[in-house]
Amino acid sequence: MLTYRTNRTAVLMAAGAAVLALTASACSSDGDGGDAGDGGKSGGGDGKTAADRAPKGVVTEAGAKEIVDNYVKVNNRANAKRDSHILSAVEGGGLFETSANGYEQDKLRSAEDRADGRKPFDYVNREYVIPSAKSGVTWFAMRADTKGQDGTSPRTSRATVVFDKVNGDWKAVWSGWTTKKDPKTPALAKDADGFAIPVTDTGRKQGILAPDQMDDALVALYATDEKLGNKVGASETAKWMTQFPLEQNKMLNPGGKSEFKAGKTDHKTVYALKTEKGGTLTFFNADVQEYMHTTDPAALITPSPQIAFLVGSKKDERLFLVDYLHQGEAYIPAEGTVSMVSDSWDMIKAEGPRRGL
């Protein structure tokens, strides 16, 4: 039987617990500051001090630092042991799924990459994006450079991590970085007390799209859905997404084809912030499913090492379903097309006829 080999390139897995891809311009606010003019007394007759009356954030800057420090400490310990159980104490959501998936697939990486993934890291030059406690949200973000074991802290990229309450515990749930090639992140709006302004109704249009529509917009770039895809303007990230299906089909031709649609993910929470110019910066998850199949009865598809690992078989098949989990960042301006700032993704699931199909 004739076999067409795809030589499909496996998704690169991040060095460390998480795939980092995105960023936001950030603001910091202590939230603990009081008016020292009255010596700490409230003067209101209700027993509250000036510090009690001071505007509060969802977390103080000191509290955010403590949360991030603990995340780094536990993350490094989990990386060294490649132990997702340890990591689950400080990570959740889509970030934890991709991190745990990376641990499982560690054997597919080179010895050098495996060693790099076990090296400790830290976040330096941190900036905290903290919404007001009155906003009703339960999350904050951090923007920083990463410092590796060699002590360097390159400013060629900038990491962003979103921390949210998961069953009462602070956990990193979304992470990424941007480089100089990505669109410049717009300045964030601040309220009268200096806190970041979150978008609490992510289902409402903030411009041409609602933050909750960004997952569908990302999939549209793969699926050539012009009605929705045309609402996303040109960027390196958007260009890559539109070209990936073309590259896949080029490898599968003439005996095979790839089609893309929205997959299923439990990670539906969307985080969004207002910008100074009335736009919205949003952080979201999206599952893109690839239906890779033959069009020639005499052809079979040879899975890549990563697909074979997830399927549990190296045997050639007539079709595969592959899911990619994305953590994306997008800017929705008050007017005009959306800018897909950056995106990180990992192959998280694959099925073939011998396993599940």
Side-chain angles (χ1 to χ4, degrees), residues 42-49 53:
S42 70
D46 56 5
K48 292 184 177 181
T49 66
R53 292 179 175 278

Side-chain angles (χ1 to χ4, degrees), residues 28-32 59-66 126-128 130:
S28 299
S29 181
D30 190 337
D32 269 346
V59 66
T60 65
E61 188 169 332
K65 180 182 183 302
E66 184 178 347
R126 300 178 189 177
E127 299 172 272
Y128 298 102
I130 303 175

Side-chain angles (χ1 to χ4, degrees), residues 35-347:
D35 182 1
D38 63 355
K41 298 180 180 179
S42 70
D46 56 5
K48 292 184 177 181
T49 66
D52 292 331
R53 292 179 175 278
K56 298 294 192 297
V58 295
V59 66
T60 65
E61 188 169 332
K65 180 182 183 302
E66 184 178 347
I67 291 166
V68 174
D69 286 344
N70 183 61
Y71 173 63
V72 170
K73 178 181 177 181
V74 176
N75 197 338
N76 280 327
R77 187 165 72 246
N79 286 348
K81 297 182 178 181
R82 316 312 280 171
D83 190 327
S84 59
H85 178 70
I86 293 175
L87 189 63
S88 68
V90 291
E91 273 193 15
L95 180 56
F96 176 69
E97 181 171 359
T98 55
S99 297
N101 184 61
Y103 283 176
E104 291 178 4
Q105 299 180 50
D106 203 42
K107 64 181 65 176
L108 300 177
R109 306 168 71 190
S110 68
E112 182 180 0
D113 286 343
R114 289 199 299 272
D116 283 342
R118 286 166 169 75
K119 291 179 180 179
F121 76 97
D122 197 2
Y123 293 117
V124 295
N125 305 320
R126 300 178 189 177
E127 299 172 272
Y128 298 102
V129 184
I130 303 175
S132 168
K134 294 184 293 185
S135 68
V137 302
T138 61
W139 58 275
F140 72 94
M142 176 207 65
R143 188 187 182 205
D145 297 320
T146 54
K147 183 175 71 173
Q149 192 178 45
D150 59 0
T152 61
S153 177
R155 295 194 69 94
T156 55
S157 62
R158 189 77 165 151
T160 295
V161 187
V162 175
F163 293 85
D164 199 354
K165 285 288 188 71
V166 180
N167 297 324
D169 296 322
W170 284 106
K171 295 187 179 184
V173 295
W174 184 96
S175 179
W177 56 29
T178 52
T179 69
K180 293 180 180 179
K181 293 183 179 180
D182 296 313
K184 186 177 180 180
T185 305
L188 297 175
K190 299 179 182 180
D191 65 17
D193 298 314
F195 293 108
I197 304 175
V199 175
T200 55
D201 185 0
T202 55
R204 181 179 179 181
K205 281 190 176 182
Q206 301 298 317
I208 198 170
L209 289 174
D212 284 356
Q213 292 179 293
M214 285 311 308
D215 56 349
D216 289 335
L218 185 148
V219 175
L221 294 175
Y222 281 90
T224 62
D225 178 353
E226 293 185 1
K227 184 176 180 181
L228 187 55
N230 286 344
K231 294 185 178 182
V232 180
S235 70
E236 287 294 319
T237 299
K239 180 180 178 181
W240 182 90
M241 291 178 184
T242 56
Q243 289 187 342
F244 183 73
L246 302 178
E247 294 173 358
Q248 289 295 86
N249 278 292
K250 183 177 180 180
M251 287 189 290
L252 290 173
N253 281 338
K257 182 179 181 181
S258 271
E259 300 173 67
F260 296 83
K261 67 176 184 178
K264 294 181 179 180
T265 177
D266 293 330
H267 312 303
K268 297 294 188 180
T269 303
V270 175
Y271 303 94
L273 294 161
K274 281 291 185 183
T275 67
E276 283 186 351
K277 294 184 178 181
T280 302
L281 191 67
T282 182
F283 311 96
F284 61 97
N285 296 282
D287 188 307
V288 178
Q289 186 176 86
E290 178 182 9
Y291 173 40
M292 190 185 306
H293 61 98
T294 61
T295 55
D296 183 340
L300 290 173
I301 299 172
T302 298
S304 69
Q306 193 171 11
I307 292 176
F309 178 86
L310 293 171
V311 171
S313 171
K314 297 180 180 180
K315 293 183 178 180
D316 299 345
E317 300 281 7
R318 289 187 55 80
L319 65 92
F320 292 97
L321 283 180
V322 183
D323 284 80
Y324 308 92
L325 183 62
H326 292 250
Q327 290 205 311
E329 175 185 5
Y331 171 53
I332 307 173
E335 296 180 356
T337 58
V338 174
S339 176
M340 195 71 73
V341 177
S342 62
D343 174 69
S344 66
W345 54 286
D346 198 2
M347 187 187 300

